[in-house]
Amino acid sequence: MNMKSFTVITLLLGILISCSNIVNAQESEKKVVIKTKYGDMTVLLYNETPLHRDNFLKLAREGFYNDLLFHRVIKDFMIQGGDPKSKNAPSGMQLGAGDPGYNIPAEINTKFCHKKGALAAARTGDSFNPERRSSGFQFYLVKGKVWTDPELIQFIDKQKYQAVRTEVMKMVKENQSTFNRLQNENKRDSLDLLINAYQVEAEKKVDVSKFSINEQRRQAYTTIGGTPHLDDAYTVFGEVIDGLNVIDSISAVETAPGDRPLQDIKMTVEIIE
């Protein structure tokens, strides 16, 4: 390679690097403040979940969330809001079914977990929504509880057991005629042997590696707390970095059947420029 060619390539690399730095500079962290009568919560939105971040910022910029309610509150679990029907909703009206007319592709990132203060998108269940797409409007903030290490170990073991049991029940259903015949013939020993065989097969099928809690999550759950059973099933796209006590206050309010607070808790969401 001659010196002239080397110089041109060097200049091009310099331009590319400069452009890359400009892009990275534009990816500054975005924050919003959620204001309530119990205080304010400053929320950091993750750049790693850009679809959810940008949707939330758009709605906040439009003033969409202003005067909506935290319409679903479950003590020591989470507080949920964003239903457009909650604005000026009469007392006793069941809320949570407000449909924005669109949803957002899942951006589930194993880097993030449901620690206390996590901001996550609500969604319909897996049976109707296997892709786990998020609601375009509704979100929740995690309260959860503080876990001990033995409790986390027990939780993981229970998750593994439930996953294996689900696989066993699938195999039972696929071979229902055989089970019915053995039951009708009262062949208890044969049934037990068949169940044991399914159990062994199910344990081979289940990926037990996904039933674990890394050190980062363990630290979070044993210090500030959270709800680990929601991990990797819903999109977490931010976290409260100031005002966790507000979640405590809202989580503790009295609620009616359906989990709507007896006294309305309105919100205002503003972007921190």
Side-chain angles (χ1 to χ4, degrees):
M1 180 184 295
N2 60 40
M3 184 58 67
K4 184 176 180 180
S5 298
F6 179 80
T7 302
V8 171
I9 292 173
T10 302
L11 286 172
L12 287 173
L13 285 173
I15 292 170
L16 288 172
I17 291 170
S18 297
C19 289
S20 176
N21 287 338
I22 291 171
V23 171
N24 289 335
Q26 291 174 341
E27 285 289 308
S28 58
E29 293 181 331
K30 303 296 184 181
K31 298 175 185 176
V32 298
V33 58
I34 302 175
K35 298 182 177 182
T36 75
K37 64 183 179 182
Y38 290 97
D40 298 347
M41 295 173 282
T42 301
V43 182
L44 170 69
L45 303 176
Y46 297 145
N47 287 334
E48 292 90 338
T49 51
L51 299 178
H52 287 72
R53 175 200 63 194
D54 293 348
N55 179 69
F56 198 81
L57 289 172
K58 174 182 177 292
L59 295 173
R61 194 172 292 114
E62 294 172 350
F64 168 81
Y65 287 115
N66 297 346
D67 292 326
L68 296 189
L69 305 179
F70 278 103
H71 64 270
R72 185 174 179 232
V73 172
I74 302 177
K75 186 177 181 181
D76 296 331
F77 181 41
M78 61 90 212
I79 61 175
Q80 182 171 329
D83 183 348
K85 292 183 177 180
S86 69
K87 184 175 287 188
N88 302 317
S91 178
M93 176 180 173
Q94 291 292 311
L95 298 169
D99 182 8
Y102 71 94
N103 50 38
I104 306 170
E107 293 182 292
I108 297 171
N109 189 324
T110 56
K111 177 179 177 182
F112 307 122
C113 68
H114 282 75
K115 64 184 180 181
K116 182 180 180 181
L119 167 68
R123 66 174 180 85
T124 54
D126 287 359
S127 57
F128 299 100
N129 179 23
E131 295 179 347
R132 295 178 170 176
R133 298 174 70 91
S134 300
S135 164
F137 291 170
Q138 294 194 43
F139 66 90
Y140 59 93
L141 294 164
V142 174
K143 170 64 166 71
K145 71 164 193 173
V146 176
W147 296 67
T148 65
D149 283 320
E151 284 176 331
L152 285 177
I153 293 171
Q154 186 177 30
F155 164 76
I156 293 169
D157 289 342
K158 184 178 179 180
Q159 294 288 91
K160 291 178 182 177
Y161 168 79
Q162 290 176 338
V164 170
R165 186 175 184 276
T166 298
E167 286 296 329
V168 170
M169 295 309 296
K170 284 181 183 178
M171 286 184 274
V172 169
K173 189 173 182 181
E174 291 168 357
N175 297 277
Q176 192 66 56
S177 59
T178 300
F179 263 80
N180 291 342
R181 178 178 58 80
L182 292 175
Q183 284 180 328
N184 291 335
E185 295 173 0
N186 199 28
K187 294 184 176 180
R188 175 58 57 185
D189 290 343
S190 297
L191 280 170
D192 290 343
L193 287 172
L194 195 56
I195 287 290
N196 289 337
Y198 288 166
Q199 178 82 13
V200 172
E201 186 64 25
E203 288 173 355
K204 292 177 181 177
K205 286 185 177 182
V206 173
D207 180 11
V208 295
S209 64
K210 69 180 181 179
F211 298 105
S212 62
I213 294 180
N214 62 33
E215 182 59 22
Q216 181 183 9
R217 293 186 180 186
R218 190 195 70 80
Q219 285 285 345
Y221 291 135
T222 57
T223 53
I224 63 172
T227 56
H229 69 278
L230 297 179
D231 282 347
D232 307 323
Y234 295 78
T235 296
V236 176
F237 64 101
E239 65 178 279
V240 174
I241 57 175
D242 186 43
L244 284 174
N245 60 301
V246 178
I247 298 178
D248 295 334
S249 298
I250 296 176
S251 173
V253 302
E254 289 188 68
T255 58
D259 303 316
R260 177 177 171 177
L262 294 177
Q263 301 295 322
D264 286 349
I265 304 172
K266 294 183 178 182
M267 71 176 78
T268 299
V269 179
E270 297 176 0
I271 300 173
I272 300 175
E273 303 292 353

